[in-house]
Amino acid sequence: MNLTQIKNILEDRRADSVEKLALEAALLTRQQFGRAISLYGPLYLSNFCSSHCTYCGFHSQNKIQRIKLEPEQYRKEMQFIHNQGLRNILMLTGESYKHTPVAYLKEAAAVASEYFQGLSLEVHPMQTDEYKELFAAGVDGITVYQETYDRARYAQVHLSGYKKDYDFRYATPFRAAEAGMRQISLGVLLGLADAAEDLYALYQHLRELEKTYPGVEYSVSFPRLRTVKDKTLASCDVDDWQFVKIIALTRLMFPRVGLNLSTREEPRLRDHLLEIGITRMSAGSNTSVGGYTLLDEEKQNPQFDIKDERPVDEIVRLLKSRNFDPVFTDWRHIENKS
């Protein structure tokens, strides 16, 4: 599918156009994934950041309280997430090589392995040998979003720091795959640039990865720009109508690729998208460092404002009431580790 076709699909406002896409996507999703929905919890380890990304609540110029969790602190956070029933965790940091080096991430992974079967990281991009170290320490997956594939726009919103290097970030999933990572998640931040152009470029990026490293399990995410403590750092012009089409179109283009959905989206829309193409979603999330057990809500500095605040048990009840199978553990990865 070329760029013009994608633009035409996203710009088509007819009700029957989105319904047709959604029905086709739902059929493919059920064929490939059944009614299984994998659940995970995010854990923010640090908000120290050396990059100035204008849209992010953690950016280096934002005057917030900077926190890096110590082992006894992130253990407490992990225990909390584990007690909610989740067995897959995504550990996140700001982009600071100084404050969260590989050694720190390996230590966190070692503790996390006591509580979780699936360990993924969303941190600063690294070299292949560093990813190999993390893989040996038990990390299964890497999440790295290009944010936007428009080079000019990329330069406008990434003003300083390592993240200014577009090409180094673009090559990050290739380095992670070379290091042996089993799961790699890509994505674009909807609202930064033209959605159709970013979508087309993401598809090309993913095709290139699939061709080069066919044994990796890939997934994609489409986070939309959100406020930070009700403050708008950048606005999103992708409405719900277009968002549904993006999810459905991606499923049609990539039948076997996982589609992730975070708590950036409101409950009503998250529930609707379950039927169309979503295969993995966060639940009971907190996007602040120490937000689960260490800081009260007033003192928190989130990366973005959460729209779906439902706890894990409520999400599980919802899934079961709609005949979905909530999955807490990826047994394939446990078998591969043994």
Side-chain angles (χ1 to χ4, degrees):
M1 182 172 290
N2 60 38
L3 176 58
T4 299
Q5 291 172 312
I6 294 175
K7 282 182 177 290
N8 289 339
I9 289 172
L10 295 188
E11 291 171 2
D12 189 346
R13 309 297 294 188
R14 294 175 301 165
D16 60 343
S17 69
V18 69
E19 183 177 359
K20 182 175 183 295
L21 272 179
L23 289 174
E24 292 176 355
L27 178 60
L28 266 179
T29 304
R30 300 290 83 82
Q31 290 174 344
Q32 297 295 331
F33 295 92
R35 297 190 71 80
I37 301 292
S38 296
L39 299 175
Y40 73 95
L43 171 59
Y44 284 76
L45 297 171
S46 171
N47 60 9
F48 282 93
C49 191
S50 61
S51 294
H52 185 184
C53 309
T54 60
Y55 51 83
C56 179
F58 289 172
H59 75 71
S60 60
Q61 303 303 304
N62 200 13
K63 304 302 181 183
I64 62 172
Q65 180 184 8
R66 299 291 173 175
I67 305 172
K68 183 179 85 170
L69 298 183
E70 298 299 327
E72 64 274 13
Q73 294 175 316
Y74 57 63
R75 180 181 287 275
K76 189 176 181 181
E77 293 276 283
M78 291 172 184
Q79 287 175 335
F80 179 90
I81 297 171
H82 177 273
N83 289 342
Q84 307 310 301
L86 299 174
R87 296 298 179 266
N88 293 297
I89 191 170
L90 173 65
M91 297 184 289
L92 306 94
T93 70
E95 297 221 347
S96 175
Y97 294 79
K98 175 183 177 181
H99 291 93
T100 52
V102 173
Y104 174 84
L105 298 174
K106 287 168 63 176
E107 291 173 0
V111 175
S113 65
E114 300 176 24
Y115 299 96
F116 306 99
Q117 283 80 41
L119 310 181
S120 296
L121 290 177
E122 185 175 345
V123 299
H124 46 79
M126 287 175 275
Q127 300 290 353
T128 303
D129 59 345
E130 294 175 308
Y131 284 126
K132 286 181 179 179
E133 286 188 56
L134 290 167
F135 179 68
V139 177
D140 287 318
I142 294 295
T143 293
V144 56
Y145 303 153
Q146 192 65 21
E147 314 296 12
T148 177
Y149 289 88
D150 182 329
R151 284 182 178 270
R153 182 61 175 150
Y154 189 94
Q156 289 175 348
V157 297
H158 300 107
L159 303 181
S160 63
Y162 290 104
K163 201 167 179 178
K164 277 184 65 68
D165 191 335
Y166 178 102
D167 293 314
F168 186 73
R169 192 169 189 86
Y170 186 93
T172 298
F174 293 91
R175 296 192 300 274
E178 184 181 352
M181 292 294 172
R182 299 189 181 103
Q183 295 179 319
I184 295 177
S185 182
L186 308 178
V188 291
L189 185 53
L190 295 175
L192 284 183
D194 182 86
E197 293 181 5
D198 267 344
L199 197 59
Y200 178 67
L202 172 66
Y203 291 169
Q204 291 181 307
H205 198 186
L206 183 53
R207 293 289 189 206
E208 187 179 359
L209 279 161
E210 287 184 325
K211 182 178 180 180
T212 310
Y213 296 100
V216 174
E217 180 182 332
Y218 296 102
S219 63
V220 293
S221 301
F222 298 101
R224 288 193 283 183
L225 283 166
R226 290 302 182 199
T227 58
V228 181
K229 280 198 166 182
D230 295 324
K231 178 182 178 182
T232 300
L233 299 184
S235 59
C236 182
D237 58 357
V238 177
D239 60 20
D240 288 356
W241 188 279
Q242 291 174 310
F243 189 66
V244 170
K245 285 192 173 186
I246 287 170
I247 296 297
L249 181 57
T250 303
R251 169 58 64 229
L252 295 179
M253 295 295 293
F254 297 92
R256 297 183 180 182
V257 165
L259 292 181
N260 307 321
L261 189 62
S262 80
T263 51
R264 287 175 182 260
E265 301 302 332
E266 296 179 351
R268 174 190 58 80
L269 182 60
R270 294 228 306 167
D271 297 351
H272 177 68
L273 288 171
L274 284 170
E275 296 289 349
I276 296 174
I278 298 303
T279 59
R280 188 169 182 260
M281 64 192 302
S282 56
S285 302
N286 190 294
T287 67
S288 299
V289 180
Y292 292 109
T293 65
L294 303 176
L295 295 177
D296 60 45
E297 188 173 351
E298 289 185 2
K299 294 181 180 179
Q300 292 182 24
N301 289 290
Q303 187 184 35
F304 59 86
D305 290 343
I306 288 173
K307 296 296 183 181
D308 187 352
E309 297 181 343
R310 292 176 294 182
V312 175
D313 58 353
E314 186 174 341
I315 294 294
V316 171
R317 288 196 299 271
L318 166 75
L319 291 173
K320 290 182 177 180
S321 71
R322 298 176 62 170
N323 296 317
F324 284 101
D325 180 20
V327 178
F328 297 93
T329 304
D330 190 339
W331 291 104
R332 291 171 298 174
H333 287 171
I334 295 177
E335 293 168 356
N336 288 336
K337 286 181 178 180
S338 62

